[in-house]
Amino acid sequence: MSPQSNQQQTRRGLLKYLGLLAGAAALPPVLNSCSAESASTSEQSRFPPELSSSLAKPLAAAGLNPHRVALVKTTDRAAGVRQAIALLQPPSFKQKRVFIKPNYNTGDPAPAATDPVVLETLVQEIQAAGASAITVGDRSGMANTRSAMAQMQVFNLSQRYGFNTLVFDELSRDDWQYFAAAGTNWSQGFAIARPVLNADAIVNVCCLKTHRFGGHFTLSLKNTIGMVARYVPGDDHDYMRELHRSGSQRLMIAEVNKTHRPSLIMIDGVDAFVGGGPEQGRRVQAGIMLASTDRIAIDAVGIAMLRKLGTTREVSSGSIWDQAQIRRAADLGLGAVSSEQIELVTADQGSAQLADEIRQFLV
């Protein structure tokens, strides 16, 4: 298909989305905990049946492709965020308490961490959409979280826009929700920050990069690890040490994503690490912004972009759908299970051409 015809098709699709938007139901987060009594022992889906149903049904019922990914070719982060959200048309944030989970593993410049422009633009868009409250929080893996957030201007922005901030390392024991080990590769289960789970809508804000410490790539599925406790007060188990020493690390990454469903996922790929990562690596200008409601679909597109740019052997080898993070997430029913399900939504010729190029690597 030519870029021109692809562009025409995309515009027709966007008009259809806008027409159907009024009937689209908001997707509530899944807050159920895993239990030994209800956990399935099958390898295909080892979580309770109520957590294993397709998370895409509300969108599908509204006539929208639940696996769509908005793609904007850009080097302007603010414009890219706005255009991607407008293309995607995610569930409404009106009167919702929104939790934004950025990537502050460290306070190093993007793509190591979420760029301040991305956070500021997202806050502007979510406030304009009528959110009742916004909270921004994270837990760093390689730095002091409060220092990393300060370095990335989070507290300055919170004063300017009136949103709340949370440093997960400073939460009390009661602020963590445990999920049982049954049906997972976590020896003692894991704990997720309750303020994330209690939000009406979760926004997962990611960078485009590889991961040299066993994750292979760190996109939306991996960004969720920042919601997981390293330590819970009164519990001396080091959950992050277990994760990074485990041969099942990439499966464990996918498994924590079963605890919730994001309302919006953004990947800032204006710049990317195609080697190294997560805090430093071989940096290239990728010139792309992605948005989706499907973690698997957007991560698959992110991996395809890394492959197009030239990346590590671990990320470039085999089918994207055989990558352990992707395969386990698909087995758990978290999103797309094949490239055929993914719809790339664009609105200009340059983005449509880039989408055509990425599709060649989306296998």
Side-chain angles (χ1 to χ4, degrees):
M1 180 180 296
S2 69
Q4 183 176 1
S5 61
N6 187 27
Q7 184 179 352
Q8 292 171 345
Q9 181 179 358
T10 295
R11 287 175 176 165
R12 287 195 297 270
L14 179 57
L15 291 173
K16 179 181 177 182
Y17 294 152
L18 294 174
L20 291 167
L21 180 60
L27 300 180
V30 178
L31 303 181
N32 309 67
S33 299
C34 304
S35 64
E37 291 80 7
S38 59
S40 167
T41 57
S42 71
E43 184 62 28
Q44 279 287 316
S45 179
R46 300 186 292 170
F47 277 78
E50 63 270 21
L51 289 182
S52 299
S53 60
S54 171
L55 303 183
K57 287 180 180 178
L59 280 177
L64 300 172
N65 181 347
H67 314 299
R68 70 197 188 283
V69 178
L71 185 157
V72 179
K73 181 179 181 180
T74 185
T75 56
D76 183 331
R77 287 188 165 89
V81 168
R82 292 190 178 98
Q83 292 169 16
I85 292 174
L87 274 173
L88 181 68
Q89 294 295 316
S92 174
F93 292 113
K94 188 174 180 62
Q95 294 302 311
K96 291 184 179 179
R97 297 165 299 138
V98 179
F99 196 100
I100 299 178
K101 165 59 178 78
N103 184 339
Y104 297 131
N105 187 56
T106 67
D108 297 296
T114 299
D115 190 279
V117 171
V118 171
L119 178 61
E120 181 175 18
T121 308
L122 268 171
V123 168
Q124 291 172 346
E125 292 294 300
I126 293 169
Q127 287 182 337
S132 61
I134 298 174
T135 302
V136 177
D138 204 359
R139 176 191 57 75
S140 298
M142 304 176 69
N144 175 277
T145 306
R146 181 168 287 277
S147 296
M149 291 174 67
Q151 191 171 348
M152 300 312 291
Q153 305 177 33
V154 176
F155 303 116
N156 290 338
L157 290 171
S158 72
Q159 291 178 356
R160 186 182 311 168
Y161 291 98
F163 62 79
N164 304 311
T165 59
L166 271 183
V167 178
F168 291 166
D169 311 81
E170 301 171 4
L171 294 177
S172 69
R173 181 181 180 87
D174 290 341
D175 289 323
W176 294 98
Q177 179 171 332
Y178 278 100
F179 289 83
T184 78
N185 288 276
W186 294 80
S187 67
Q188 299 186 36
F190 53 88
I192 299 279
R194 285 187 186 275
V196 181
L197 300 178
N198 290 338
D200 299 317
I202 299 169
V203 178
N204 190 349
V205 190
C206 325
C207 302
L208 182 62
K209 54 185 177 177
T210 50
H211 191 280
R212 70 183 186 278
F213 298 122
H216 295 342
F217 53 87
T218 175
L219 303 170
S220 74
L221 292 166
K222 179 67 170 64
N223 198 43
T224 300
I225 294 298
M227 303 176 185
V228 180
R230 178 173 184 178
Y231 292 105
V232 174
D235 177 353
D236 61 2
H237 184 66
D238 188 333
Y239 292 91
M240 292 300 102
R241 175 177 292 183
E242 177 188 352
L243 174 70
H244 289 101
R245 290 186 174 184
S246 174
S248 300
Q249 177 184 160
R250 293 175 293 283
L251 305 179
M252 296 162 75
I253 289 168
E255 288 161 358
V256 302
N257 281 270
K258 196 64 182 181
T259 60
H260 67 282
R261 176 171 59 249
S263 295
L264 173 64
I265 308 141
M266 300 286 310
I267 292 182
D268 171 11
V270 170
D271 297 296
F273 287 150
V274 296
E279 87 293 8
Q280 59 183 344
R282 184 158 60 92
R283 181 191 185 113
V284 300
Q285 187 178 82
I288 192 171
M289 190 72 68
L290 302 170
S292 186
T293 58
D294 183 335
R295 288 160 284 189
I296 299 178
I298 198 169
D299 279 13
V301 174
I303 296 168
M305 184 64 184
L306 289 173
R307 290 182 171 193
K308 178 182 180 300
L309 295 168
T311 189
T312 64
R313 177 181 56 81
E314 291 84 1
V315 176
S316 59
S317 298
S319 169
I320 287 175
W321 303 95
D322 288 333
Q323 290 281 341
Q325 283 189 51
I326 300 295
R327 186 181 68 248
R328 181 65 172 137
D331 286 347
L332 294 172
L334 300 184
V337 298
S338 70
S339 58
E340 289 76 18
Q341 292 183 308
I342 299 174
E343 178 184 6
L344 294 176
V345 184
T346 64
D348 60 85
Q349 187 170 357
S351 298
Q353 182 175 345
L354 180 57
D356 284 341
E357 294 170 359
I358 288 174
R359 284 189 188 94
Q360 301 174 33
F361 297 89
L362 195 59
V363 294

